Amino acid sequence: MLRWFRAFLPKEERFFELFARHAQTSVQCSLALQDMLKGGDETPVFCQRVNQFENDADSVTREVLTAVRRTFITPFDRSDIKNLITAMDDAVDQMQATAKAVMLFEVREFEPPMREMGTLIVECANLVVRALPLLQSIGQNVSMLTQITEELTKLEGRVDDLQDIGLKELYLKHRDANTMDFIVGAEIYDHLEKVADRFDDVANEINSIVIEQV
């Protein structure tokens, strides 16, 4: 009965605009991360771009949380909105954490699995961009939302596999050389894997919203 009543009340559609802005910023951040993983002298430039996009994403997140407090009727549960934007922002935060590690350890060369993980992270970000507008009409888009969230989970699994492969290759490469090189490489792998984990969290939040609304 309450759900039926809420359906006839005016909603604050600006949330979807903010979600879209954050998602597009996440894509830009992932592309900067991907460029960073190409290595070379331009690496610090792309690290700085990651940082800037993370700042932009934080601003959008604050706008969403402010809108949640001020809006009488929200498109879905307030806690779901908060959890969704937080999960989205956590993914961008992890990209920044990767860039910070790269700057801290002055990394300029990256292993092939790292670069492939970067490519998959871009795919994750693009999937989120596709998913969010569909939340405006969940009932009509359940199948597509399910497909997208399943693909996000699959990508997270592929990133996990790449981390395992990369760590093994890293160990074999450095076991008789500089231990610090292995430690630094493992740190980068860990951060990249966590980015994919956070995108999987976004998928879980979307699934939670779908279950509650359908």
Side-chain angles (χ1 to χ4, degrees):
M1 185 65 177
L2 179 59
R3 183 181 298 174
W4 178 86
F5 176 69
R6 285 169 60 89
F8 288 93
L9 292 173
K11 296 182 176 65
E12 172 57 80
E13 301 300 340
R14 185 166 175 265
F15 284 107
F16 295 108
E17 173 196 333
L18 292 172
F19 289 150
R21 278 174 53 196
H22 194 291
Q24 289 293 344
T25 302
S26 178
V27 169
Q28 292 175 305
C29 193
S30 69
L31 290 170
L33 184 77
Q34 185 181 43
D35 286 334
M36 180 196 77
L37 293 169
K38 294 176 182 177
D41 294 338
E42 294 295 301
T43 300
V45 174
F46 294 113
C47 287
Q48 183 56 42
R49 289 186 186 177
V50 170
N51 287 330
Q52 182 57 57
F53 289 129
E54 192 276 337
N55 290 334
D56 295 343
D58 276 349
S59 296
V60 179
T61 299
R62 286 192 292 271
E63 287 189 60
V64 171
L65 297 178
T66 299
V68 167
R69 292 194 299 270
R70 294 179 176 176
T71 304
F72 182 64
I73 297 297
T74 55
F76 32 84
D77 190 81
R78 294 170 190 274
S79 63
D80 288 334
I81 293 174
K82 178 180 178 294
N83 292 340
L84 176 58
I85 195 64
T86 299
M88 292 167 61
D89 205 49
D90 286 346
V92 180
D93 287 345
Q94 276 299 324
M95 292 187 222
Q96 184 191 42
T98 309
K100 283 185 174 181
V102 168
M103 290 299 294
L104 175 65
F105 297 115
E106 300 180 350
V107 182
R108 297 295 181 270
E109 295 182 6
F110 300 90
E111 303 297 327
M114 293 178 183
R115 293 195 292 272
E116 191 170 349
M117 291 166 83
T119 298
L120 296 182
I121 287 168
V122 173
E123 291 185 32
C124 287
N126 280 315
L127 283 171
V128 173
V129 168
R130 287 177 52 199
L132 294 177
L134 303 179
L135 292 175
Q136 296 184 68
S137 303
I138 293 176
Q140 301 172 22
N141 296 306
V142 172
S143 177
M144 182 59 67
L145 284 165
T146 300
Q147 290 178 31
I148 291 173
T149 55
E150 287 177 351
E151 183 60 27
L152 279 166
T153 298
K154 289 178 182 177
L155 288 173
E156 190 273 336
R158 287 169 62 188
V159 169
D160 278 349
D161 292 341
L162 284 168
Q163 182 188 28
D164 292 340
I165 293 169
L167 286 174
K168 180 64 175 181
E169 291 178 354
L170 205 62
Y171 167 73
L172 294 174
K173 181 178 180 180
H174 297 295
R175 62 180 174 181
D176 297 322
N178 191 338
T179 303
M180 190 63 190
D181 288 340
F182 173 80
I183 294 172
V184 171
E187 180 82 1
I188 302 301
Y189 275 119
D190 183 62
H191 283 300
L192 290 170
E193 191 273 335
K194 285 179 179 176
V195 176
D197 277 350
R198 299 295 80 80
F199 276 116
D200 192 41
D201 291 341
V202 175
N204 291 335
E205 294 300 335
I206 291 173
N207 282 330
S208 177
I209 292 169
V210 170
I211 290 170
E212 289 186 10
Q213 296 295 314
V214 176

